[in-house]
Amino acid sequence: MPTTGTVLRNHYKIIKILGSGGFGDTYLAVDLDLPNQPQCVVKHLKPNSDPAVLQIVRRLFDSEAQVLYRLGNDSDQIPRLFAHFEEQGQFYLVQEFVDGEDLSYEVIPGQKLTQIAVTKLLEEILEILAVVHKKNIIHRDIKPQNLMRRRQDGKIVLIDFGAVKEVNTVMVNSQGQTSVSVTIGSLGYMPSEQAGGQPKLSSDVYAVGMLAIQALTGLQPHELPKDPTDGEVIWRNWANVTEKLALVLNKMVSYHFRDRYPSAVEALEALKLSTPQQRQSTPTITTPTIQTPPPTKIISPNWSRRKVIQTVGFAGAGLGLAIVLPRFWQSDSGETTPTSRPASTPEITRFASNLKTFQFETVIVNAQGNITNRRNEQANYFEEDLGNGVTLDMVQIPGGTFTMGSPEGEAERDKDESPQHQVKVPGFFMGKYEITQAQYQAIMGTNPAKFQGDGRPVEQVSWDNAVEFCQKLSQKTGKNYRLPSEAKWEYACRAGTTTPFYFGETITTDLVNYDGNFRYGSAPKGEYRQQTTNLGKFPPNSFGLYDMHGNVWEWCQDVYNDNYTGAPTDGTPWLSGKDNNIKLLRGGGWIYDAGGCRSADRLSFAHASRAYHVGFRVMAVALA
């Protein structure tokens, strides 16, 4: 056990102990190798000496460290991890020191906070937790002591991610195999599934909800009674809140995880929609008309190879398939050159007699988000009549080969975007826009969308709903409609580009509907619309597809796998994985940050899940 004055790795000098618990101790230290010797926090983990436990703890320790490294780069409200190492069977984490006080100084037993104060606190916590949940990471120990109010700027900082701190019980089965019981969480904030060793993102939502109820009632979670018939928390008798906020909190702390918000993202959205400020800021929704932007004069700069690659791709958001857009071939000199002759396939030939042409303008931005180039393009499409004046535009996508996934140097990338690999994609047709509410109503007879408007994308649709839509659309039209494979989706989104976005190195809220509070790279912050937008509002990519970045996440056929090892290389969907019920989403949404809208970004979701930021678009191939 380190003592005051101990120097670890000839680098970190222990100043004093900050706290002690069953998992180990926490110390204040200084970094001797850096100028001014800045303060840091050293966490000393003391695992059981059993060799089987040590082996498992070592694995969990390394895994947890990787999580902390990732998260520390995503937000300044998560302490950065500076180092992790093992010495003499002991494990150490070195993290950024947060100067402030935890929320136990604000959420005090016996004292009630006002609804306004609790709503603000709840929003602050959910905003930072949403960053964590977007990475599919579960914190597992949300409580006042693990939420710090930073003195410097008053922001809340989420601390104490610890998958290894509560490793305790060794179990040996009849075959002599050793396993370890892992229990992480705190009494009262931990829901039943987490206590049973199966935490989920919604388990964190439960903990945040209990913290808010504690602040409203002045009662600690373990002091609140529960309904003996269904296990639901009884708390309304001790709090004075509006019905709307009560409904949000009740859903957050539902006994069964299936009845809660799936993650902090959805909980935050519901909270904002429940407040008077949000209702006042939501504009009246009218039925929009989708229009094709008029052609404008082409600016013809001196084209470098980089500019040629960027100009080939950039999309807005929508359903539509472009057929005549440029295909690319590699010249002997290494230049990527467009050609107007798309690959011919049976699918393209089948629809060729009904094709029309539309014109559109694409734009390219620099690293600061400024438009540096505009270009007129055109694409082929066919129009599907769905009845009652509702149509569906399907754009022809030429076949080609592209590099799927993101390079290691791309900002905000995740490990599941690796390894990069070549995929050969045959030609196909894809929706010019995301499926609209009018189109969904025409085929399914219902409109489940939260943000109503015929020309807005349909949302709150599950993967199962989207598949059923494709089946009914196929029956109605005699064509073969389906969800795109993940590979075809990324190919269609990139439209020949290799940059993070088809607009170039970054995006702005003038081009994409996303949470403008979070910028990408050197681009400025922008507008946060807090809802979907009409399709066709933003510029398309070079294939003529709109809203491939932002607006709503789009379902793909594929089962989610956490990397591309073994992925198909012919454009077909990957239909097997660790859990076939977990499907793939692409494109980002209005509630997500810019990094989540990248061409390579991926999101996993249970096939039956629905959310205000999840929709889909369709692709088509000819029936045999």
Side-chain angles (χ1 to χ4, degrees):
M1 173 177 172
T3 58
T4 300
T6 299
V7 177
L8 300 172
R9 281 202 161 183
N10 297 316
H11 199 45
Y12 305 104
K13 182 179 179 179
I14 302 298
I15 302 300
K16 65 178 180 179
I17 189 166
L18 295 175
S20 182
F23 72 95
D25 307 299
T26 302
Y27 300 90
L28 181 66
V30 293
D31 191 335
L32 299 176
D33 282 3
L34 294 180
N36 302 322
Q37 298 184 359
Q39 293 181 328
C40 57
V41 171
V42 174
K43 294 185 177 180
H44 171 218
L45 309 178
K46 299 183 295 187
N48 187 296
S49 60
D50 185 283
V53 179
L54 279 174
Q55 181 179 1
I56 294 174
V57 169
R58 184 175 289 111
R59 176 176 55 81
L60 292 175
F61 177 76
D62 288 336
S63 175
E64 193 68 17
Q66 295 307 315
V67 167
L68 291 170
Y69 282 128
R70 287 172 55 202
L71 288 175
N73 293 326
D74 288 343
S75 174
D76 68 348
Q77 291 174 259
I78 299 172
R80 289 172 295 167
L81 181 65
F82 296 138
H84 76 291
F85 53 92
E86 177 182 353
E87 282 188 357
Q88 299 179 347
Q90 306 295 300
F91 300 89
Y92 297 90
L93 295 170
V94 183
Q95 285 186 280
E96 177 183 4
F97 173 68
V98 179
D99 183 16
E101 295 178 332
D102 65 55
L103 290 191
S104 64
Y105 289 87
E106 296 181 29
V107 182
I108 302 172
Q111 296 185 19
K112 297 182 181 182
L113 298 182
T114 66
Q115 175 174 321
I116 293 176
V118 172
T119 301
K120 175 62 176 174
L121 182 64
L122 195 54
E123 183 174 344
E124 288 180 281
I125 297 171
L126 288 173
E127 283 179 344
I128 182 58
L129 188 58
V131 175
V132 177
H133 282 185
K134 287 174 187 178
K135 299 289 187 181
N136 286 321
I137 295 169
I138 310 169
H139 184 278
R140 286 174 287 186
D141 201 11
I142 302 290
K143 59 183 179 182
Q145 292 79 4
N146 287 338
L147 292 157
M148 300 285 294
R149 179 77 68 181
R150 188 163 52 202
R151 186 170 288 108
Q152 175 185 357
D153 54 12
K155 290 183 178 181
I156 286 180
V157 179
L158 181 58
I159 65 171
D160 208 6
F161 292 77
V164 299
K165 71 178 186 181
E166 294 284 346
V167 176
N168 44 34
T169 306
V170 179
M171 296 176 290
V172 181
N173 63 20
S174 58
Q175 286 76 39
Q177 297 172 324
T178 302
S179 61
V180 174
S181 170
V182 181
T183 303
I184 302 172
S186 297
L187 181 65
Y189 302 96
M190 180 169 49
S192 57
E193 76 275 3
Q194 184 173 339
Q198 295 183 318
K200 307 179 186 304
L201 295 179
S202 61
S203 304
D204 285 346
V205 173
Y206 179 97
V208 176
M210 290 304 299
L211 190 155
I213 289 172
Q214 177 183 352
L216 286 167
T217 64
L219 297 175
Q220 297 185 70
H222 64 84
E223 296 176 318
L224 290 166
K226 294 185 177 181
D227 190 324
T229 62
D230 56 15
E232 300 295 346
V233 178
I234 300 173
W235 62 275
R236 291 292 301 277
N237 295 337
W238 295 274
N240 182 20
V241 297
T242 63
E243 188 63 24
K244 289 183 178 294
L245 179 59
L247 289 173
V248 171
L249 289 174
N250 281 336
K251 188 173 178 66
M252 291 179 71
V253 300
S254 292
Y255 180 82
H256 292 290
F257 68 85
R258 296 182 183 86
D259 297 328
R260 295 183 218 128
Y261 299 107
S263 75
V265 175
E266 290 80 10
L268 177 61
E269 175 188 344
L271 176 68
K272 289 182 176 179
L273 292 173
S274 74
T275 61
Q277 293 88 345
Q278 171 63 22
R279 291 197 303 274
Q280 292 169 3
S281 65
T282 302
T284 302
I285 299 173
T286 57
T287 302
T289 301
I290 300 172
Q291 297 179 338
T292 302
T296 59
K297 184 177 180 180
I298 302 175
I299 300 174
S300 301
N302 294 325
W303 286 44
S304 66
R305 180 186 179 203
R306 184 60 167 177
K307 289 182 179 178
V308 173
I309 293 175
Q310 289 180 335
T311 301
V312 177
F314 108 44
L319 282 169
L321 296 172
I323 183 170
V324 175
L325 261 133
R327 192 183 175 202
F328 298 84
W329 57 274
Q330 197 74 18
S331 69
D332 293 338
S333 64
E335 290 290 320
T336 302
T337 308
T339 174
S340 61
R341 189 182 298 274
S344 178
T345 68
E347 290 81 6
I348 288 178
T349 302
R350 174 77 68 166
F351 297 130
S353 60
N354 297 319
L355 293 181
K356 304 176 183 180
T357 300
F358 71 99
Q359 296 181 331
F360 53 91
E361 182 189 73
T362 63
V363 303
I364 296 300
V365 301
N366 60 17
Q368 289 72 44
N370 300 316
I371 295 177
T372 58
N373 186 51
R374 298 179 184 270
R375 183 173 176 84
N376 287 339
E377 303 277 7
Q378 67 176 19
N380 289 351
Y381 74 105
F382 71 85
E383 185 179 85
E384 198 76 83
D385 185 0
L386 305 185
N388 297 321
V390 179
T391 59
L392 169 65
D393 291 348
M394 300 297 295
V395 181
Q396 187 177 4
I397 307 299
T401 300
F402 81 111
T403 301
M404 187 173 181
S406 62
E408 291 187 2
E410 185 168 299
E412 299 189 31
R413 74 184 297 270
D414 293 314
K415 288 184 178 180
D416 65 355
E417 299 166 22
S418 298
Q420 282 191 295
H421 57 290
Q422 294 291 300
V423 179
K424 184 176 183 180
V425 178
F428 60 100
F429 288 82
M430 195 164 185
K432 184 177 183 180
Y433 307 100
E434 294 157 338
I435 289 295
T436 67
Q437 295 172 37
Q439 292 163 346
Y440 195 86
Q441 178 76 45
I443 298 300
M444 303 294 283
T446 61
N447 181 8
K450 173 67 176 179
F451 305 108
Q452 291 284 305
D454 284 352
R456 293 190 181 210
V458 69
E459 13 86 7
Q460 293 201 109
V461 288
S462 66
W463 183 88
D464 298 323
N465 296 146
V467 169
E468 183 182 4
F469 176 93
C470 293
Q471 292 170 344
K472 290 186 175 182
L473 181 60
S474 298
Q475 293 170 1
K476 181 179 179 68
T477 63
K479 300 184 181 73
N480 191 356
Y481 284 95
R482 62 183 67 160
L483 293 177
S485 68
E486 183 188 12
K488 286 182 177 177
W489 191 98
E490 184 173 329
Y491 174 78
C493 176
R494 289 189 178 279
T497 60
T498 59
T499 47
F501 309 92
Y502 56 73
F503 293 103
E505 294 293 343
T506 190
I507 53 175
T508 68
T509 55
D510 292 332
L511 303 175
V512 175
N513 181 16
Y514 65 95
D515 186 348
N517 293 309
F518 300 92
R519 62 188 182 183
Y520 188 87
S522 302
K525 291 184 178 181
E527 182 180 2
Y528 180 29
R529 298 176 176 88
Q530 304 184 41
Q531 58 185 296
T532 59
T533 48
N534 295 340
L535 296 167
K537 175 181 175 68
F538 301 107
N541 67 4
S542 289
F543 281 158
L545 303 179
Y546 291 77
D547 289 312
M548 295 293 284
H549 297 316
N551 218 9
V552 292
W553 285 93
E554 300 178 16
W555 288 111
C556 295
Q557 286 189 57
D558 305 57
V559 170
Y560 175 77
N561 286 270
D562 59 12
N563 61 66
Y564 286 134
T565 303
T569 58
D570 58 358
T572 57
W574 198 355
L575 301 179
S576 62
K578 294 179 181 178
D579 187 345
N580 290 347
N581 291 318
I582 305 300
K583 304 299 183 179
L584 216 294
L585 291 163
R586 284 304 206 106
W590 61 266
I591 200 172
Y592 276 69
D593 57 19
C597 299
R598 291 174 301 110
S599 299
D601 197 75
R602 312 169 75 217
L603 184 68
S604 61
F605 232 42
H607 70 99
S609 296
R610 303 178 185 183
Y612 300 152
H613 52 82
V614 172
F616 68 104
R617 78 177 69 216
V618 297
M619 60 165 283
V621 296
L623 291 173

